[in-house]
Structure formats: C-alpha cells, structure tokens
Amino acid sequence: MPDSKQMTLTAAISRFVPDGASVAMGLAQEILIPFAAGHEIIRQNKKGLTLIGPISDILFDQIIGSGCVQKICAAWIGNVITGSAYNFRQAVENGEIRMEDHSNLTLATGLRAGAMGIPYMPTRSALGSDLFESNASLKRIICPFTGDTLTAVAAITPDVTVVHVQRADIFGNAHFWGNLGITREACLASKQIIITAEEIVSPEVISSDPNRVFTPGFRVSAVVHAPWGAHPSPAPGYYNRDHQAFVDYQQTSKTAVDYACWRSRWVDAVHGSDDYVKLMGKDRTNTLALTKGVYSEPVNYGY
Amino acid sequence: MGIEKTTPSGQVLYTPAELMVTAAAREIHDGDVIFVGMRLPLLGFQLAKSTHAPNAVGVYELGIVRDTAAPEPILTMGDLPNLYRSQWLADTADVMGLLQQGLVDMSFIGGAQVDRFGNLNTSYIGPSGRPSTRLPGSGGACDLACLAKRHIIIMTHEKRRFVPKVDYITSPGYGDGPNWRKRIGLPRGGPARVITTLGVLRFDSQSREMVLASTHPGVSIADVLDSTGWPLLVASDIQETPVPTADELSTLRQFDPDGFWTG
C-alpha cells in the first residue's frame, strides 16, 4: 500500500510551490480553473513565480495583483467575458513582469515536447507573427525531410502543475471529464503535480474507469479535498460557471484599492473551503450547483 | 432587453452587433468545419447551425467538437451546455491538429488593431518591450490566422484601430502583400473578410489589400474612409450590407436572450 498523498491546501502549496517556481494552472481554459489553489498561493505571499497556462481567465490577474509573479508564459491573459484584466495590464506596462508570448498551439506544443522528453517540437503556426519577438523559446527551423519552414517550440517543463478535478483518491489517481485543454501535456511535462478535487473517493472508483484518468497517479505529489475549488469557473458534473462573479471582478479590480478590497474579502478572510462556501452564500451555491444528473452509459472493462 | 422586433411600419430593427453576427453567420457554408472563437463568433456559429448551415461542424480550441448547437445560451465556449452531447471532448493539441492538417474551412478572430493587409494585433500597443498598452494576447488567434483555409476578422471600425501598420503582428494576414504568406512558410489561408461596425471588407486577390465591399445601412462610404487610417480602396460594385431577417433575429435572440453580446 503506498502512502496517502492527501494533505491540506496550505500544506500542498507550502511544500510544492516554492518562491521562484514555474507553475502551470488553468489548463482546460474556461473549465475547472484551480481558483482555490491560486488563492492559497496569494495567501502564502509567494514571490517570483512564473505562471504557465493557455487562458486562465481571471486567475492569473488575481495572482499578479498580489505581486507573486515575475514572468508569464501564456497565450491570453484577461477576463474571458469582459476583456482586459487590469493587474496584468499594469504589471506589463510598468515593466514589473516579463512576458513569454505564446499562442494556444505553441504552448500546447512546448508542453507536449516536455511530456515526450524531447528538447523541442515543431509546429506550422506562428510563422510571420511577432511572437518570435517576445518569446525566445520560438525559433524558425527548416524541416530535414521536406525543406518546409517550421516553428520550433522549446520544451516547457513546469516545476509544478496544479489541476482541479472532479474526483481523486488519496494516492493521486484521479478522474477528469470535460474538455481537456492542455491538462495532460502539462501534467506529464511537470516535475510535481498538485491535484485539488471536488470529492475524495475510494481507489476502486478511479480504477473502475482508467480511460478517464489523465495522468498516472504515481506522478502526483499531493491530493487536496477542495469542494467548489474551481468556482467561479464551471466544474462538469458539479456546478455551472458563475458569470456574475467574473463581471463583478472586472468592476472590483480597476484600481489597487479595489483589488485590495476584493482580496481581503475573497482571499484573506477565507481559511478553507467551508469559509469559502459560506462567503458564496446559499442562494449562489443553490443556483450554480447541478441538480439533475445526466450520466454516460457504463463501459465493460471485463476480462 | 426589450428590443423591438419591428417598427409599426414593419421595418426590422436590430442592434449593430446583431447585424455583425448575422453577416458572420452567413459566411458559414453548410457542411463547413468552423473553428469557433469567443464573443460574436460563438453566436454566429449557433445562428448558422440553426438556420442555413445545419451540417456545419464547430471546433473549439479548448478541446470541443460539436455538430449541434449548444442546447442553452452560453457566454463562454466552456459553459457546460457547450460540452453536453458534443461530438468530441478532447485535448487542445488534437483540435489544433485538425487545424494544422488543413481540415478547418474557416475561423473567426477579433482584433484591437488591423492594417491594410489584414495583419492583426491583440498583444501590444507601442513597443513590446515597453508597451503603452498591453492587450490580452493571441489565445488561439495566431493559430487560426496561420492555419485555417480562410479566416474572418470581426472588429470595431475606428481610425485608431485601422492603422497603416500594426505595432505587433499577433495573427498574420497577408504580411506586406502578394506571396508573403508562402514566402514565410505559412501553408495556406489568409483573411477573407473583415466584418466591422461600419461595413464588410474583403481583400483584393492580386494586391491582397483590404477593399470596402459593403457599408451597413445608414453608414456612408465617407464615414468608413474617415474611420480608416489609410486611403482605403472601395469596390466598384460596393453594396449595402444585407440586414438580418426577422427569422435570423429571433433565432439569434434565443442564444443571447439578455443581449450580453448583442444588446
């Protein structure tokens, strides 16, 4: 029997996200963004982080606003339904953070190279763009077989990848359903993996459907029980997207003072998921929680 | 939102965004594989699927392929109705692989700045090392502009956005003109239309320069020229952009009942 990897969110972030770490998060784009884990990074006042992700909606802006970040390696940073994000804009415009500009495909390609254990992988994207100007990990190469010009993307190997999922066991085996984004590449390419989960279930539940496992459990460092841990992003099978929270964040993060108020209420005053659920309020959780189940047909894994 | 459908004289009323979405939807042919972007394109695909293009297939960068319209209104492509009974839930790299292979007929992208050859900037105003304004970035837009068979740009038509030369090319158009895409190694594609708040523009097949093809009702050619930062070419057969039909509007409003995108 392996040792349990379950721990508190505080312990997981403290142990596996040191200052200066490169952290991949928000890998399925709009769904299952690990907001609870991101807020714990803010509470622990981490410094000098590199954030890696395709489009992490407002999570990256929230972490940038607390001065935790020195570099961003991403394709798009903002608020998906309202546009620009203020902390991110200001930090780049003031020269406080460095950018490594990717497209979604170049980021996926770099992580896939990392996952495959090779130094780079080619793509046909980005040629003719200025991404080369603001991302030194992209280089033009000539294909040795066809003579075509291609973009080589250097392998990306995050120090730690944080993924929020529907259910996990205490040993790091977990199920994720919905669109995957670059979740699998990021986990496989990463040195450490932190899983936060809506539910902790028995190992038999996970092993009953290994096709739904997105990364092998032996590679996972920590498992955290974090119900509502993706709110306000949606969690398939658990809750819908809280659009109003994204609109509200846009309104309450326009200045340093506004952001400090937001942070004090939604981050500093929260110690664990019970606090968070209480803060959300019954009306909100009742509205967002899925009430009717729509289940897939079981598959037969017999032998 | 209480948008009146018609005036007492029977004239159909619509918002500028509804006209733009309808123009975008009409570019989708039945059976096309469409790479669907955020905001207005999200609605354009839903509208086309529900009207003239029931066999269109939608590909979404976060790893979704749909051959039906989402059953309920969505604000992002990751809203759960867009996952429900989709054709495929997958990895970004896999749906981008469809694009890279040349299997995507058309894509839609938005922009903050565009130039006469359809190069788009959604990254930096001013030098990238010390910008005056940092914009959100590429997302999948660069990939769509590089690798779809054609792409359509949707944006607000203002002089500060329609500039002679963009500060940064996030999503390549025709570069500096004819043969540029081939020369720098792009396998195919290029912008086919620019749908703006004032009109619809296409690209000359020889020079690859933007040409005003239609103006929206109530907009003059002079209005468009005044809102464009270079001497814009005007098609000899310039027309008025067709307005949405009552049927298109009522369908569209089912997908955006609160007018979040089109109000």
Side-chain angles (χ1 to χ4, degrees):
Chain A
M1 195 82 158
D3 291 338
S4 168
K5 294 169 182 171
Q6 190 176 356
M7 59 185 80
T8 62
L9 187 54
T10 306
I13 298 298
S14 167
R15 188 160 159 204
F16 295 111
V17 186
D19 285 349
S22 57
V23 190
M25 284 193 287
L27 303 159
Q29 297 200 178
E30 284 83 1
I31 73 163
L32 289 168
I33 301 171
F35 277 97
H39 293 178
E40 181 60 27
I41 286 174
I42 295 174
R43 272 190 295 274
Q44 293 191 18
N45 199 26
K46 298 292 181 183
K47 294 290 175 204
L49 301 180
T50 294
L51 299 183
I52 302 167
I55 290 171
S56 297
D57 219 313
I58 55 177
L59 179 59
F60 281 8
D61 190 71
Q62 294 174 350
I63 302 174
I64 291 166
S66 286
C68 307
V69 181
Q70 58 111 9
K71 185 177 163 188
I72 295 281
C73 175
W76 194 94
I77 303 92
N79 185 327
V80 168
I81 60 168
T82 66
S84 276
Y86 297 97
N87 292 317
F88 167 67
R89 265 194 62 176
Q90 278 179 0
V92 177
E93 290 163 16
N94 296 338
E96 291 158 9
I97 55 176
R98 287 189 292 129
M99 283 305 303
E100 205 166 274
D101 282 292
H102 276 278
S103 71
N104 284 342
L105 179 51
T106 64
L107 189 66
T109 302
L111 285 165
R112 200 160 257 199
M116 296 292 283
I118 52 177
Y120 73 90
M121 193 174 269
T123 165
R124 293 187 189 278
S125 190
L127 295 168
S129 79
D130 288 328
L131 295 184
F132 293 89
E133 180 189 298
S134 54
N135 185 345
S137 71
L138 305 178
K139 302 254 184 248
R140 288 172 193 84
I141 56 167
I142 302 298
C143 172
F145 300 103
T146 63
D148 291 352
T149 305
L150 300 170
T151 301
V153 187
I156 302 169
T157 53
D159 291 323
V160 57
T161 289
V162 186
V163 184
H164 187 75
V165 304
Q166 286 95 338
R167 60 193 187 197
D169 70 20
I170 60 172
F171 306 115
N173 305 294
H175 280 172
F176 180 119
W177 62 94
N179 59 282
L180 285 148
I182 55 172
T183 304
R184 294 207 279 205
E185 289 89 348
C187 285
L188 291 169
S190 191
K191 297 175 191 79
Q192 311 280 353
I193 301 168
I194 297 173
I195 288 180
T196 63
E198 288 295 319
E199 288 188 77
I200 302 297
V201 297
S202 78
E204 288 71 30
V205 171
I206 306 300
S207 62
S208 76
D209 192 1
N211 272 133
R212 218 175 295 285
V213 175
F214 56 95
T215 206
F218 80 87
R219 293 274 283 103
V220 173
S221 306
V223 175
V224 175
H225 184 214
W228 292 93
H231 175 266
S233 69
Y238 292 80
Y239 42 88
N240 273 305
R241 190 175 194 270
D242 186 354
H243 299 302
Q244 191 58 46
F246 289 90
V247 174
D248 290 346
Y249 180 74
Q250 196 257 347
Q251 293 299 320
T252 56
S253 59
K254 288 186 177 178
T255 65
V257 174
D258 287 344
Y259 173 80
C261 285
W262 171 85
R263 174 184 160 155
S264 143
R265 179 161 183 232
W266 286 97
V267 179
D268 294 331
V270 173
H271 302 281
S273 43
D274 289 350
D275 280 358
Y276 191 83
V277 173
K278 214 173 287 172
L279 183 59
M280 284 174 72
K282 275 225 159 53
D283 286 353
R284 195 194 289 250
T285 51
N286 287 342
T287 307
L288 296 172
L290 302 185
T291 48
K292 67 171 199 283
V294 180
Y295 294 91
S296 62
E297 287 296 319
V299 297
N300 186 352
Y301 282 100
Y303 61 93
Chain B
M1 299 296 279
I3 303 163
E4 293 290 332
K5 281 187 183 168
T6 55
T7 61
S9 61
Q11 188 194 354
V12 176
L13 291 180
Y14 51 84
T15 67
E18 285 175 331
L19 179 70
M20 292 169 77
V21 173
T22 307
R26 288 175 181 176
E27 296 288 340
I28 298 174
H29 307 305
D30 198 20
D32 274 358
V33 177
I34 304 295
F35 215 105
V36 187
M38 256 304 282
R39 296 169 183 266
L40 300 187
L42 212 54
L43 290 170
F45 178 73
Q46 299 273 79
L47 177 58
K49 274 297 292 181
S50 307
T51 52
H52 65 278
N55 299 302
V57 173
V59 180
Y60 301 78
E61 62 189 12
L62 72 178
I64 300 174
V65 176
R66 285 200 75 83
D67 61 353
T68 54
E72 282 191 29
I74 52 173
L75 290 191
T76 81
M77 51 180 88
D79 288 8
L80 300 188
N82 209 41
L83 279 61
Y84 179 74
R85 290 200 182 271
S86 56
Q87 197 174 64
W88 194 30
L89 292 177
D91 299 283
T92 292
D94 291 335
V95 295
M96 286 287 177
L98 298 174
L99 179 70
Q100 195 155 247
Q101 287 181 60
L103 297 174
V104 170
D105 296 302
M106 196 175 73
S107 66
F108 292 101
I109 57 182
Q113 243 191 7
V114 68
D115 68 22
R116 66 169 74 196
F117 294 112
N119 302 300
L120 264 187
N121 177 15
T122 52
S123 301
Y124 298 97
I125 305 295
S128 63
R130 197 63 194 260
S132 59
T133 304
R134 168 68 209 201
L135 303 163
S138 161
C142 171
D143 310 315
L144 299 170
C146 287
L147 301 171
K149 286 182 192 164
R150 60 197 180 110
H151 65 272
I152 290 181
I153 298 165
I154 300 182
M155 58 186 285
T156 304
H157 206 135
E158 295 171 354
K159 203 164 203 159
R160 67 190 179 102
R161 296 176 182 275
F162 279 65
V163 295
K165 194 173 186 314
V166 291
D167 294 344
Y168 180 101
I169 299 179
T170 312
S171 306
Y174 293 109
D176 58 12
N179 296 319
W180 178 85
R181 288 180 71 92
K182 193 170 181 198
R183 205 164 64 236
I184 55 129
L186 288 171
R188 66 187 79 85
R193 298 276 184 279
V194 186
I195 298 172
T196 79
T197 41
L198 300 179
V200 178
L201 304 101
R202 58 179 173 77
F203 290 86
D204 183 83
S205 60
Q206 299 302 312
S207 71
R208 296 304 196 186
E209 196 173 327
M210 210 184 283
V211 180
L212 181 61
S214 75
T215 52
H216 298 336
V219 176
S220 70
I221 293 174
D223 293 336
V224 180
L225 298 182
D226 285 348
S227 303
T228 304
W230 68 86
L232 179 65
L233 300 174
V234 179
S236 55
D237 60 345
I238 185 163
Q239 294 170 349
E240 188 173 87
T241 312
V243 301
T245 65
D247 187 38
E248 284 171 323
L249 281 174
S250 70
T251 306
L252 183 52
R253 285 166 192 171
Q254 286 168 28
F255 294 121
D256 190 21
D258 300 325
F260 191 91
W261 301 119
T262 56

